[in-house]
Each structure stands twice: as structure tokens, then as C-alpha cells.
């Protein structure tokens, strides 16, 4: 006897997404100074973070936003500008934003994806590189030691990102073999690299019950390259940098020379219970900057909180963010300990990205020995790398460092002059530069170095920008 069973379309579970999937509209008419991006969709966990991530990845500055996701429906409005402070008029960027948020498959092969991704920059595919993440107690020159260790192990750094905050340093990097430019998959060699880096990072810290550990971990590049900054947030959060001691290199008190504006303000987070409406209300006041909303939404999402409503506005150089949240299980924040933890975590998330000191930008020849040479030169002149972003572009590697005085004091420009002489012969040009339009009342000095070195360093250029 033949038994027939009902047929269920395997795509049935995705039917709602297909019918009510994100609908994205980009409007350049209704607002005089901003581009308005509207997103309507059936609500699902993580959608808000995805939308904010797409916008920030395209270097779009969110000046205002209204979020609402009650009754299982997600409705967001974002007022955005490009990095020059203008409306978004580039058709390829607009189409990419629409397709990326809408999850359209044709994006993978479209000209817009090619235009907006790093694939056309010469960065190797993830199959040709090995990912590694590290976290440990920060100390002067630690990033320089990491760079030297990777070079000693014949590892070419294709991409790397490092943050330091509250005496911690987290770093994630994609590396390849120096001689073959392919991924490193030999277990013995990986073990040797891991042991070498672990010795540099130092032993575990904070006691066995603190949940903190200095560690090195290899993983697939696809696990984090989609958004390296979120992974850095997760590493710092997991190691409780929000409770860490503020070492001499920590600049997260974050007045950031705002005396030019009004009164210097640091990040202020306040949390109130709104039981009659069933929400916990989080208010954040801080200096406005790019990627601010991403940092806060990312942290709330990773801490398993759901944002139901939000209102983000800018007031001059400062920003106000208001979030109506619940736990993922629907409950409110019900203890003072939990409220204090959320407050500390949000403060840390905002301050991790902020760094006072000198911004150093270099276009280097893609050579294993170059990065250790430059970081060692900085170290020898009393400077240390507080943040780093490195990405290969064909035969060149773009390096952006935020450097500070090892003692935590304001950088002595005499050290900079001394370093110039160390890297002679150099052609030096000094000019003024301005911060992005959002902070155009704050001036920076730019020092452009065009290297004439034709030895190991080949050719590279330096930009020192005093923030």
C-alpha cells in the first residue's frame, strides 16, 4: 500500500521574506541637505544592524534616523551624507545600497558589487589567505612586536585591523605565505606561528574566573572579513575591556579637543525603565562622528538586546541616541547590575574607535619586511601604534596608523622631526588639512612624505595628520 505525504515547498519558510522582504527607497528630493534612505520589511533579528552596516561600509554618514519595528514590521528612515558632507548622487552607490539591503543575489555579479567591493583592489581571495585573531594586554610597541613576529615567520600581512582600549589590544589579520602568496595550512607551521604570537601577547590576565585571556586563534577569513570591525567589538566585549584599567596609553576620556566647540564632553549613557510601555530606554550623548550608530547598534545586538524604536539626531558637533530595547527573550533590564553593565559596554564601544594623537597614512610596497621596519622606527622614536588598518591593493599596501607617545603625553613634534631624519633621504612637504565637514572647525597639520628610498622599502608615501 502506497502512502502519500503532503508536499511542502522547501522555499515556504522564506516566502514571507520574498513577499515582504526589505524594500529600499533612496530619496534625494524631500530633504535639502541629505539623502533619505527608507527601509520597509517584515522584521527579523539583526536587520537593523545589517542596514546600518551597509550604510557605514559605503562611508555614508548618518546624521538622523528614526527606527520603528513594532507589530513584526520594520520601518526605518535614515538621513545620510557622503564623506564630503554632500548628498549621495553616485548611481552605483545608490544601487549597491538598495541591493545589499534587499539581499538580491544578482548583486554578486553586478558592476556595482565590483565597484564597491575590495575585489578590484588586488586583494587575494579568502582561499589564498589565512585569518588569525589576537587579543592581549596592551603595552608600548606591542603592534610592532606582532608585525616583527609575523615577518620572522615568513608571513605576508594582506589585511589587518587593530584597536587598543583600556589596556587591551585586539588584532585580526589575514596572512599568506611569503614565498608562495598562498594560504598557510600546514598544522605544524600554524602551531609555530601561534606559539610565537602567544609568547608576545603574554599569559592570561585577570585570574581564571575573569573570563579574560590573552589568546591567538586561526579561523577562516570568511568568518570575519565581511565585517572586521564587528569582530573587534566582539573580541573586546568578550574580554571585558569595559572593566579594564585605564592605562597611560588610553585616550578614552575623550575630550578630543572639543573645547573649540562648547564645553568638552565625554560619552554619557543613561538608562531608564519604561514599564508602562514595556521598554528599557537607553540614551547616549557623545561627540558625533562617522560609524557612531554602527558601534552602538552592534554592541546592543551582540549583547542579545533587540531595538524596537530609536531616534538618532545631531546637535552641532554632538549626537543624541535614544533606543527602546528589550532582551531577546522579551524581558526588560531588571537589575542595577545589568543596567550598569550595558552602560559600561556602550561607553566602551563608542570610545574604542576614538584615538588622540597623530594619524599616519602610508602607501607601502607589498613586502614582508616593510611593515616591521616602519613600526620599529616609530617605536625607536618613542611612538606606539594605538590603532591600525592595513589593506593590500595589488602590489601596494595602504596602511593607516593612529600613533601616540609611549608615555601617553602629547606627541613631541621633535620626535617627528627626528624620525624624518631617520628615514632620510626624504622629500618633505608640510600643508594644512581639515577634518571631515562634520568637524570642520578643527584643524589638522598634514605632513606628506614621499620616500626616495629604493632599498627594502621601495617607494612609499607618508601622511602625518595631527588630530
Amino acid at each position: 500500500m502506497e502512502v502519500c505525504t503532503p508536499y511542502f515547498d522547501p522555499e515556504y519558510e522564506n516566502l514571507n521574506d520574498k513577499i515582504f522582504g526589505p524594500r529600499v527607497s533612496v530619496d534625494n528630493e524631500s530633504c535639502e541637505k541629505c539623502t533619505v534612505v527608507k527601509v520597509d520589511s517584515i522584521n527579523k533579528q539583526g536587520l537593523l544592524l545589517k542596514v546600518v552596516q551597509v550604510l557605514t561600509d559605503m562611508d555614508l554618514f548618518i546624521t538622523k534616523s528614526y527606527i520603528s519595528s513594532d507589530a513584526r514590521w520594520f520601518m526605518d528612515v535614515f538621513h545620510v551624507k557622503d564623506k564630503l558632507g554632500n548628498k549621495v548622487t553616485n548611481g552605483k552607490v545608490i544601487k549597491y545600497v538598495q541591493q545589499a539591503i534587499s539581499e538580491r543575489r544578482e548583486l554578486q555579479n553586478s558592476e556595482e558589487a565590483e565597484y564597491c567591493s575590495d575585489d578590484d583592489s588586488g586583494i587575494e581571495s579568502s582561499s589564498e589567505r589565512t585569518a588569525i585573531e589576537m587579543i592581549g594586554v596592551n603595552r608600548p610597541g606591542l603592534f610592532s612586536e606582532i608585525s616583527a613576529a609575523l615577518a620572522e615567520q615568513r608571513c605576508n600581512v594582506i589585511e589587518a585591523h587593530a584597536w587598543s582600549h583600556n589596556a587591551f589590544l585586539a588584532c585580526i589579520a589575514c596572512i599568506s605565505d611569503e614565498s608562495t602568496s598562498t594560504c598557510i595550512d600546514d598544522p605544524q607551521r600554524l602551531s609555530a606561528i601561534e606559539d610565537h604570537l602567544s609568547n608576545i601577547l603574554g599569559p592570561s590576565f585577570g585570574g581564571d574566573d575573569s573570563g579574560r585571556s590573552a589568546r591567538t586563534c586561526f579561523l577562516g577569513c570568511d568568518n570575519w572579513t565581511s565585517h572586521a570591525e564587528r569582530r573587534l567589538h566582539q573580541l573586546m566585549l568578550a574580554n571585558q575591556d569595559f572593566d579594564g584599567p585605564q592605562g597611560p596609553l588610553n585616550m578614552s576620556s575623550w575630550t578630543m579637543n572639543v573645547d573649540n566647540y562648547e564645553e568638552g564632553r565625554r560619552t554619557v549613557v543613561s538608562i531608564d525603565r519604561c514599564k508602562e510601555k514595556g521598554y528599557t530606554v537607553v540614551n547616549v550623548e557623545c561627540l558625533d562622528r562617522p560609524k557612531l550608530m554602527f558601534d552602538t547598534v552592534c554592541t546592543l545586538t551582540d549583547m542579545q538586546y533587540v531595538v524596537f524604536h530609536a531616534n538618532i539626531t545631531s546637535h552641532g558637533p554632538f549626537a543624541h541616541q535614544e533606543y527602546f530595547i528589550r532582551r531577546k527573550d522579551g524581558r526588560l533590564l531588571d537589575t542595577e547590575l545589568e543596567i550598569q553593565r550595558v552602560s559600561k559596554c556602550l561607553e566602551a564601544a563608542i570610545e574604542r574607535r576614538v584615538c588622540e594623537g597623530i594619524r599616519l597614512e602610508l602607501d607601502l610596497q607589498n613586502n614582508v619586511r616593510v611593515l616591521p621596519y616602519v613600526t620599529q622606527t616609530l617605536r625607536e622614536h618613542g611612538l606606539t601604534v594605538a590603532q591600525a588598518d592595513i589593506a593590500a591593493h595589488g602590489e601596494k599596501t595602504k596602511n593607516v596608523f593612529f600613533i601616540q607617545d609611549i608615555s601617553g603625553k602629547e606627541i613631541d613634534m621633535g620626535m617627528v622631526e627626528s624620525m624624518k631624519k631617520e628615514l632620510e633621504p626624504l622629500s618633505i612637504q608640510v600643508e594644512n588639512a581639515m577634518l571631515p565637514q562634520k568637524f570642520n572647525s578643527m584643524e589638522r597639520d598634514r605632513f606628506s612624505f614621499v620616500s626616495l628610498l629604493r632599498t627594502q622599502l621601495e617607494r612609499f608615501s607618508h601622511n602625518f595628520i595631527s588630530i
Side-chain angles (χ1 to χ4, degrees):
M1 179 179 178
E2 185 177 352
V3 179
C4 296
T5 57
Y7 171 76
F8 289 96
D9 189 331
E11 294 294 322
Y12 177 77
E13 292 183 356
N14 299 323
L15 186 60
N16 277 341
D17 286 343
K18 289 185 175 181
I19 298 176
F20 305 110
R23 292 193 293 269
V24 184
S25 65
V26 179
D27 175 15
N28 269 318
E29 303 298 329
S30 59
C31 184
E32 181 181 353
K33 297 181 179 180
C34 299
T35 297
V36 180
V37 179
K38 298 179 182 179
V39 182
D40 294 323
S41 171
I42 189 170
N43 193 26
K44 58 182 179 180
Q45 175 67 5
L47 180 58
L48 173 60
L49 177 59
K50 176 188 174 182
V51 174
V52 174
Q53 179 175 313
V54 169
L55 295 175
T56 55
D57 283 350
M58 297 306 298
D59 289 328
L60 300 182
F61 187 86
I62 300 173
T63 61
K64 188 183 296 184
S65 180
Y66 306 98
I67 312 296
S68 179
S69 59
D70 264 350
R72 299 185 63 195
W73 194 258
F74 178 89
M75 293 181 291
D76 276 14
V77 178
F78 299 91
H79 291 227
V80 301
K81 297 180 180 180
D82 64 18
K83 57 186 176 183
L84 298 178
N86 303 318
K87 287 186 176 182
V88 183
T89 57
N90 189 311
K92 291 183 177 180
V93 172
I94 291 173
K95 191 170 183 180
Y96 176 85
V97 168
Q98 291 174 321
Q99 291 184 340
I101 296 174
S102 301
E103 297 181 331
R104 296 181 185 175
R105 294 181 181 177
E106 63 265 25
L107 175 66
Q108 297 176 0
N109 299 317
S110 70
E111 292 182 1
E112 287 73 24
E114 186 175 322
Y115 171 82
C116 299
S117 70
D118 289 330
D119 293 341
D120 61 342
S121 64
I123 297 178
E124 293 88 341
S125 66
S126 60
S127 62
E128 296 175 335
R129 47 188 177 167
T130 303
I132 182 171
E133 61 182 31
M134 300 154 273
I135 187 163
V137 177
N138 194 22
R139 64 178 181 273
L142 178 57
F143 185 79
S144 175
E145 294 179 41
I146 292 172
S147 303
L150 290 173
E152 184 180 336
Q153 296 295 319
R154 305 184 311 282
C155 299
N156 188 31
V157 178
I158 301 167
E159 181 179 353
H161 306 274
W163 287 354
S164 61
H165 180 248
N166 276 5
F168 294 87
L169 182 134
C171 178
I172 54 178
C174 269
I175 59 175
S176 64
D177 180 77
E178 176 185 10
S179 57
T180 65
S181 297
T182 59
C183 69
I184 302 170
D185 52 13
D186 177 37
Q188 291 185 345
R189 186 175 176 191
L190 290 176
S191 179
I193 295 172
E194 184 172 3
D195 289 344
H196 202 71
L197 290 171
S198 296
N199 289 334
I200 291 173
L201 291 170
S204 298
F205 46 90
D208 295 336
D209 58 348
S210 67
R212 302 174 177 182
S213 61
R215 66 186 185 88
T216 304
C217 178
F218 288 95
L219 65 160
C221 274
D222 289 335
N223 290 350
W224 63 263
T225 48
S226 60
H227 212 277
E229 292 172 342
R230 184 177 183 188
R231 187 59 191 146
L232 287 172
H233 276 305
Q234 290 172 339
L235 286 171
M236 288 290 201
L237 180 64
N239 283 270
Q240 303 174 27
D241 71 314
F242 51 88
D243 274 337
Q246 296 194 1
L249 296 179
N250 180 47
M251 297 295 180
S252 62
S253 58
W254 160 287
T255 55
M256 198 174 167
N257 296 327
V258 293
D259 292 337
N260 293 341
Y261 294 115
E262 297 168 359
E263 300 176 353
R265 259 197 251 181
R266 57 169 290 138
T267 304
V268 177
V269 179
S270 60
I271 300 177
D272 300 307
R273 299 183 183 94
C274 187
K275 293 184 178 179
E276 61 274 13
K277 294 185 178 179
Y279 297 111
T280 300
V281 184
V282 178
N283 284 281
V284 181
E285 294 275 357
C286 63
L287 187 67
D288 200 6
R289 59 168 174 77
K291 301 189 178 183
L292 176 62
M293 187 176 180
F294 169 80
D295 293 337
T296 52
V297 172
C298 174
T299 299
L300 289 171
T301 302
D302 287 336
M303 293 181 71
Q304 304 300 307
Y305 296 107
V306 180
V307 176
F308 288 88
H309 301 278
N311 182 22
I312 286 81
T313 56
S314 298
H315 304 285
F318 297 100
H320 174 254
Q321 300 179 88
E322 183 180 47
Y323 297 97
F324 293 79
I325 67 170
R326 296 185 191 132
R327 291 180 186 170
K328 198 172 181 179
D329 59 12
R331 293 188 296 161
L332 305 182
L333 283 68
D334 52 10
T335 67
E336 287 299 324
L337 185 62
E338 184 178 15
I339 289 174
Q340 290 178 11
R341 185 174 186 273
V342 172
S343 179
K344 287 183 178 180
C345 288
L346 287 175
E347 286 181 13
I350 293 169
E351 293 169 354
R352 285 174 197 138
R353 197 187 293 273
V354 176
C355 184
E356 289 186 344
I358 298 292
R359 183 178 185 272
L360 168 62
E361 186 174 327
L362 312 91
D363 290 320
L364 303 175
Q365 192 72 22
N366 197 347
N367 185 299
V368 170
R369 309 299 168 187
V370 173
L371 180 60
Y373 178 86
V374 172
T375 55
Q376 179 63 27
T377 302
L378 292 172
R379 186 178 178 184
E380 289 173 353
H381 288 82
L383 303 173
T384 187
V385 177
Q387 290 184 16
D389 290 290
I390 299 170
H393 296 262
E395 295 182 356
K396 296 286 185 177
T397 303
K398 182 177 182 179
N399 301 257
V400 177
F401 302 128
F402 285 88
I403 57 176
Q404 299 172 342
D405 185 271
I406 284 179
S407 64
K409 300 177 181 178
E410 184 177 349
I411 290 181
D412 180 2
M413 295 311 295
M415 292 184 183
V416 177
E417 293 296 329
S418 176
M419 186 168 58
K420 293 178 189 178
K421 295 178 181 179
E422 179 76 17
L423 296 176
E424 282 180 351
L426 294 172
S427 174
I428 302 172
Q429 179 182 0
V430 180
E431 60 184 23
N432 291 326
M434 303 294 287
L435 281 167
Q437 186 171 357
K438 185 66 185 176
F439 309 111
N440 60 10
S441 64
M442 297 170 62
E443 290 191 0
R444 301 181 294 185
D445 293 325
R446 172 174 296 181
F447 300 85
S448 299
F449 302 92
V450 180
S451 176
L452 302 180
L453 295 175
R454 298 180 181 274
T455 56
Q456 280 186 331
L457 294 182
E458 298 292 336
R459 281 184 146 195
F460 60 86
S461 62
H462 303 250
N463 292 318
F464 286 89
I465 305 173
S466 179
I467 297 180

